[in-house]
Amino acid sequence: MLSIFIRKQRMCHLEIKMTTTKFGCLPLYAPLELFHSFGLNPVTLWGFRGPAPLGDVHLQSFACSVARRLVDFILSDKGRDLNGLFAYNACDTIRNLPEILQTGLREAGREVPVFTMHVPQYDSMIGRGQDYLRTEIKQLIAGLEQVFHTHFDWTKFQASAKLFQQQRQLAKQLEEYVTRGRVKFSDFAGLLAESAALPVETKIAQLQDAIKKVDIYSEPPEVEYQNKTIISGILPPPPAISALIEDTGFRVVGNDVAVLNRSYAESPVIGDDALEYYVDFYYRHVPCPTLLFSADHRLERLIWLASARGAKSIIFVGEKYCECEFFEFPYLQNQLRSRGIESILLEVGMDDEANIAPFQNRIEAFAEMLGVKAKKTPVEGKSTKKKSK
Amino acid sequence: MPQAQTQALTASESLKRIMGSYFMGCHEKARKGKFVVWVAIGVPIEVLHGFDLVVAVPENHSAVCGTRKVGAQQAQKAEAAGYSLDLCSYARIDIGTALANGEGSPSMGLPAPNLLISCTNNCTLLTKWFDVHHRRLNVPHFIIDVPFCYGFQREADREYLIRQYRALIDLIEKMTGQQWDEAKVKAAWDWSLQAYAHWRRFLGQASRHPAGITAFDTFLHMAPALTYYRGTKVYADHFKLLADETTAKADKGEVPVKDEKYRLLWDNIAPWHSLRKISSALATRGASLIYATYTGCIGNLEGGIEATDLSPRPLEALARVQNFSVCPYGLELRFLSIKRIVEKLKPDGIVFSSNRSCKPYSIMQLDLQRRVEKELGVPTVMVECDMADERFYNDAQAFLRIDALLERIKTR
């Protein structure tokens, strides 16, 4: 297993000064292609780390770190070059953020247009929500046209959709390398999750570069069944905890993480209508507890994932105060156990990167319970690089 | 629906009788095999009066557990089953009680449901909470999806809600074999409108100096609105009795805080476990909590529109009143509704209760508080609270802050 990305590179975006104007989308699943087709530079605002002093001015400590950090990012100098914001009803906290952000921006003397949309939250089989969703997308398009003085163009939308499809495809390809042990999950998650706030073109370049680098290395030996695990949550574990999981001997062979697999596993069909594209996007989405109509399918998705990747366990990474996730954990854990899949829940909050000792104890105990075989220390100087022909 | 006798009773006796009859009635009718529906409080119960059902409200039950000081005890049963302490206390109490088959609950819990109906009006969390029962009991869960209000309700939102009501009616018809009776729903809506008019009359007693009511009276007497009595004659009669009785008492000078020095507002759900304690402590300081945003919104939309002015067509009107409570409001509407009440009641101060169990109510309070201070010039304070889990409320800390607010008001 090779570390293909250096830590410095992984962390660098945190200090990124937004040199080009960006259109900020609040998590989780925004219609990025649509914004891109308007010539905007859409980025999803998550994956930030560190303290959030400006977030704490506007949100109580019982709001999750995702919300507190993104508020901090937008209101601080780091978000100064945002030319627009978008939010939908992803959760109770996020639905309140548009006006909180507008207040903070106004106080800072910044005028940033904020677009909102309501994603209908029920079973598509009944079909009650699809018309409403189409109307919402139409209104969003009208709003974008009005603010940015550009007309929606289907050809441009198609091109944008293809770009995002390519990015999703590349992410899936790199994930395959993670499954086969050629890339560490911590590096993969570092690249994807922490670059979530970068433009799609940059992400594509990064992914292509990473895949090229991996291609020159040979595959490491297969690991035992009990060593294979799946990670599930809104965000991947913080880098230190991801590294801890792998150092304990686990190989992360799949993920059900909102910022990772749930965001790239499915690509909508690019037909001949942007409205239908988004009906497909939301209603055929990978199950996520925040998409209420899909939540019932999450268990079967996890079982399928564990079976397809040959994993014996699932590590749930609970974003502290994320009610959507925490209501589901007891049910998921019980159901998985009854099917022979063991799991552990790690609750991760704002300051947990600095306090990883308790996580170490729990992860080691979990590994011991599963009979995970500790990783062999690599022999000094022995390369696994393919011999060039 | 049973019609309890409320004549010749005091409002307090009437309330006790209605609540006793509601919980007993739920169990008795369920035992006789009636179809049981659990609903979130934002679900339009009047629509369900078109059927013959047992309608139980878990949030109400959790509040009762909080009032009887068994909230933490019931919540711990859910925590023992793996539900995080950070989750809403109403949910933990309800799930804990259900897992314990009603043991420890003042009402022995609620009868098991045949159908769950939640809505995203107050919070998305409710749908996740009801999903727990949906999976545990393998019963259908219908979600009424209410768009969040950054402004007044749009026509498209109203139509969207009506379509959902129709789908719900179809589902219940299929599940029960009953035919929905729209005339009964019309009658139910008429009773609710009458009740709202009396409720507004009751709330109006806060305009007196000293105030004829406190927010604590409103917290207790709102309870029938959260039962299947909503939309019945019992409901309207109770609020009529309450308004008449309160007005008569106030006319005679019988008011809750005679020596009223400070008139305060409360923003958030009632701290059910400490109502008496807080009310007494405030009264000894000459402070009267004259209004609460939590109860003030009943029968009133988006801070100003009276429900009585709505469409006579019940489904349309009920779709409109999905916006009645505070939680589905964005910051602008929340500010607007507080502004209107500040202009009307001219309070001396506002207590914002930051409630960790209710994110939709609490998450914007820091900005709301600053804006109220800045634009309305009303002194405010923020206290930490939880509506039903007393482990997250510290009386001394809360009153340290409230006393500071009173000092500030005094020195103005």
Side-chain angles (χ1 to χ4, degrees):
Chain A
M1 194 184 292
L2 294 151
S3 178
I4 55 168
F5 317 110
I6 55 169
R7 189 160 295 262
K8 199 174 162 194
Q9 182 187 352
R10 195 197 302 156
M11 302 298 286
C12 68
H13 91 280
L14 301 176
E15 300 306 322
I16 280 174
K17 290 270 182 243
M18 290 196 160
T19 48
T20 53
T21 311
K22 291 185 173 62
F23 186 88
C25 299
L26 273 58
L28 293 83
Y29 313 115
L32 299 169
E33 307 85 341
L34 181 66
F35 303 127
H36 191 269
S37 75
F38 272 85
L40 302 167
N41 196 2
V43 294
T44 308
L45 299 172
W46 57 0
F48 304 118
R49 302 215 169 280
L54 282 173
D56 296 343
V57 171
H58 295 271
L59 300 177
Q60 289 98 324
S61 58
F62 50 74
C64 71
S65 72
V66 174
R68 287 160 70 191
R69 284 176 172 142
L70 82 86
V71 168
D72 184 73
F73 178 86
I74 292 167
L75 298 181
S76 71
D77 267 353
K78 285 175 265 181
R80 189 157 277 282
D81 292 332
L82 290 167
N83 64 349
L85 287 168
F86 168 82
Y88 74 94
N89 49 315
C91 69
D92 291 333
T93 299
I94 287 179
R95 75 183 191 178
N96 274 312
L97 292 188
E99 288 170 301
I100 290 173
L101 289 167
Q102 270 174 327
T103 304
L105 289 165
R106 253 196 313 266
E107 282 168 2
R110 289 162 60 192
E111 281 296 328
V112 179
V114 182
F115 300 84
T116 59
M117 183 175 92
H118 183 82
V119 174
Q121 296 282 0
Y122 47 65
D123 198 330
S124 61
M125 294 304 284
I126 302 171
R128 285 173 292 148
Q130 297 191 0
D131 283 346
Y132 186 86
L133 179 61
R134 289 183 189 102
T135 309
E136 286 291 282
I137 295 284
K138 266 191 220 168
Q139 285 188 355
L140 181 59
I141 290 173
L144 291 165
E145 288 180 333
Q146 197 187 344
V147 171
F148 294 105
H149 311 291
T150 316
H151 283 289
F152 172 75
D153 183 319
W154 168 247
T155 317
K156 284 183 184 167
F157 179 81
Q158 266 183 316
S160 299
K162 279 178 189 160
L163 213 51
F164 280 88
Q165 203 171 44
Q166 186 189 358
Q167 181 233 318
R168 291 189 193 107
Q169 203 52 46
L170 289 166
K172 276 163 78 171
Q173 197 180 333
L174 194 58
E175 190 195 301
E176 260 184 58
Y177 289 139
V178 177
T179 306
R180 280 148 55 187
R182 294 173 70 177
V183 177
K184 287 169 81 174
F185 175 77
S186 47
D187 289 324
F188 169 74
L191 181 75
L192 267 80
E194 295 183 9
S195 67
L198 293 178
V200 65
E201 293 84 355
T202 314
K203 282 191 207 170
I204 288 173
Q206 279 191 344
L207 285 164
Q208 284 171 330
D209 185 47
I211 288 166
K212 213 180 290 170
K213 283 181 186 164
V214 180
D215 275 341
I216 64 168
Y217 294 104
S218 61
E219 200 146 312
E222 182 68 328
V223 291
E224 306 271 351
Y225 163 60
Q226 63 268 28
N227 285 49
K228 294 181 181 177
T229 195
I230 305 281
I231 288 189
S232 176
I234 294 291
L235 294 173
I241 298 176
S242 283
L244 198 63
I245 290 168
E246 289 177 316
D247 291 347
T248 309
F250 284 106
R251 178 184 287 181
V252 182
V253 292
N255 79 81
D256 165 55
V257 175
V259 71
L260 302 178
N261 187 281
R262 287 186 215 160
S263 288
Y264 59 69
E266 294 288 347
S267 268
V269 175
I270 308 172
D272 52 9
D273 186 346
L275 306 183
E276 297 315 310
Y277 179 90
Y278 284 111
V279 168
D280 196 35
F281 175 78
Y282 285 110
Y283 290 117
R284 207 168 49 80
H285 204 279
V286 173
C288 176
T290 66
L291 294 170
L292 306 181
F293 49 81
S294 75
D296 266 353
H297 303 293
R298 186 171 173 203
L299 175 65
E300 61 200 70
R301 169 97 187 165
L302 286 171
I303 293 167
W304 169 81
L305 198 57
S307 156
R309 307 284 168 92
K312 186 182 167 58
S313 65
I314 295 183
I315 298 174
F316 289 107
V317 183
E319 173 64 38
K320 193 165 173 67
Y321 303 120
C322 176
E323 286 151 341
C324 288
E325 288 265 302
F326 274 91
F327 267 108
E328 297 202 338
F329 289 139
Y331 167 76
L332 291 174
Q333 290 197 278
N334 286 338
Q335 290 295 316
L336 290 168
R337 191 173 301 124
S338 70
R339 288 161 171 85
I341 303 167
E342 294 299 334
S343 67
I344 184 175
L345 169 59
L346 305 176
E347 187 175 295
V348 179
M350 276 295 276
D351 308 316
D352 285 329
E353 283 167 77
N355 307 306
I356 63 162
F359 294 104
Q360 183 162 5
N361 288 343
R362 296 197 62 213
I363 292 164
E364 284 175 359
F366 186 55
E368 202 176 304
M369 183 191 90
L370 293 169
V372 169
K373 298 208 170 115
K375 228 169 43 170
K376 283 179 192 151
T377 314
V379 180
E380 191 82 16
K382 199 171 179 182
S383 173
T384 49
K385 202 169 182 175
K386 274 182 187 170
K387 283 178 187 165
S388 55
K389 286 178 184 171
Chain B
M1 298 291 174
Q3 304 291 299
Q5 186 62 256
T6 58
Q7 290 301 310
L9 294 171
T10 64
S12 294
E13 288 165 343
S14 161
L15 177 69
K16 217 176 274 179
R17 186 173 283 201
I18 287 173
M19 294 311 291
S21 151
Y22 159 67
F23 284 116
M24 289 288 288
C26 280
H27 284 296
E28 273 172 24
K29 284 182 276 179
R31 252 196 307 274
K32 288 176 186 162
K34 266 201 183 179
F35 191 87
V36 180
V37 182
W38 283 10
V39 300
I41 56 171
V43 170
I45 289 174
E46 291 89 343
V47 172
L48 305 179
H49 283 297
F51 296 101
D52 185 17
L53 309 168
V54 178
V55 180
V57 188
E59 287 152 276
N60 184 344
H61 170 261
S62 295
V64 168
C65 288
T67 311
R68 300 288 178 89
K69 299 190 194 312
V70 294
Q73 166 202 300
Q74 298 303 92
Q76 279 167 345
K77 293 171 185 171
E79 290 152 25
Y83 292 92
S84 166
L85 198 68
D86 293 328
L87 293 172
C88 160
S89 54
Y90 277 181
R92 280 181 285 124
I93 290 168
D94 172 59
I95 293 168
T97 303
L99 294 177
N101 292 318
E103 200 179 312
S105 147
S107 69
M108 292 305 289
L110 298 169
N114 301 105
L115 172 66
L116 300 151
I117 312 171
S118 70
C119 67
T120 58
N121 168 328
N122 281 347
C123 56
T124 307
L125 174 152
L126 255 163
T127 67
K128 309 308 292 183
W129 160 8
F130 276 37
D131 262 349
V132 170
H133 295 309
H134 154 63
R135 290 166 191 157
R136 186 177 65 86
L137 302 167
N138 196 24
V139 293
H141 175 194
F142 189 98
I143 298 171
I144 297 177
D145 180 42
V146 185
F148 190 67
C149 314
Y150 296 109
F152 300 125
Q153 191 183 63
R154 302 171 302 176
E155 188 69 36
D157 296 346
R158 194 146 53 251
E159 284 168 11
Y160 172 56
L161 286 164
I162 294 169
R163 283 209 304 276
Q164 294 182 65
Y165 293 167
R166 294 207 182 279
L168 174 64
I169 291 163
D170 286 349
L171 176 70
I172 299 175
E173 284 188 339
K174 269 185 210 142
M175 289 185 76
T176 61
Q178 296 178 29
Q179 187 140 17
W180 184 67
D181 186 341
E182 191 171 3
K184 284 186 182 168
V185 177
K186 171 84 176 70
W189 176 233
D190 287 342
W191 286 123
S192 286
L193 286 179
Q194 287 188 37
Y196 290 151
H198 295 307
W199 181 255
R200 311 301 300 166
R201 204 155 54 83
F202 166 64
L203 292 184
Q205 302 306 313
S207 303
R208 293 176 183 247
H209 289 260
I213 56 165
T214 67
F216 299 100
D217 301 317
T218 72
F219 290 148
L220 294 174
H221 281 282
M222 76 183 287
L226 317 179
T227 67
Y228 58 56
Y229 283 116
R230 188 158 94 212
T232 64
K233 184 174 184 301
V234 175
Y235 181 52
D237 285 350
H238 173 72
F239 284 160
K240 181 179 184 304
L241 173 67
L242 178 66
D244 290 346
E245 184 184 286
T246 313
T247 310
K249 277 187 178 174
D251 286 344
K252 286 190 277 180
E254 289 176 35
V255 293
V257 183
K258 279 192 178 139
D259 180 25
E260 184 185 88
K261 291 185 200 136
Y262 312 100
R263 292 160 67 81
L264 306 176
L265 303 190
W266 177 271
D267 184 59
N268 216 312
I269 304 177
W272 298 113
H273 43 78
S274 301
L275 291 182
R276 191 177 290 274
K277 203 159 53 171
I278 297 175
S279 130
S280 308
L282 285 172
T284 57
R285 289 160 168 83
S288 181
L289 212 54
I290 59 168
Y291 183 89
T293 53
Y294 181 54
T295 46
C297 62
I298 297 173
N300 170 292
L301 299 174
E302 293 150 2
I305 301 159
E306 298 298 325
T308 41
D309 296 335
L310 298 180
S311 160
R313 287 187 290 276
L315 287 193
E316 199 173 304
L318 289 163
R320 187 71 186 91
V321 291
Q322 281 293 175
N323 284 21
F324 87 90
S325 75
V326 171
C327 293
Y329 295 175
L331 186 57
E332 278 304 313
L333 279 180
R334 285 276 290 278
F335 176 74
L336 190 65
S337 54
I338 285 195
K339 184 172 178 253
R340 281 180 176 140
I341 208 67
V342 163
E343 284 165 356
K344 190 175 169 191
L345 296 179
K346 298 191 174 31
D348 300 306
I350 300 179
V351 181
F352 285 94
S353 161
S354 177
N355 182 342
R356 66 196 306 284
S357 267
C358 188
K359 290 197 177 70
Y361 218 135
S362 308
I363 219 81
M364 68 174 66
Q365 280 180 316
L366 292 172
D367 282 286
L368 189 60
Q369 183 189 18
R370 279 192 288 269
R371 192 163 168 196
V372 164
E373 289 240 4
K374 192 178 164 192
E375 293 183 31
L376 305 180
V378 183
T380 66
V381 73
M382 183 83 75
V383 297
E384 303 288 326
C385 203
D386 185 287
M387 68 262 194
D389 190 338
E390 61 268 32
R391 290 172 293 175
F392 294 106
Y393 173 72
N394 183 311
D395 209 37
Q397 276 178 12
F399 270 89
L400 195 66
R401 293 188 175 196
I402 291 172
D403 281 339
L405 173 72
L406 299 182
E407 276 298 313
R408 205 176 140 200
I409 295 168
K410 201 169 150 186
T411 55
R412 287 185 103 199

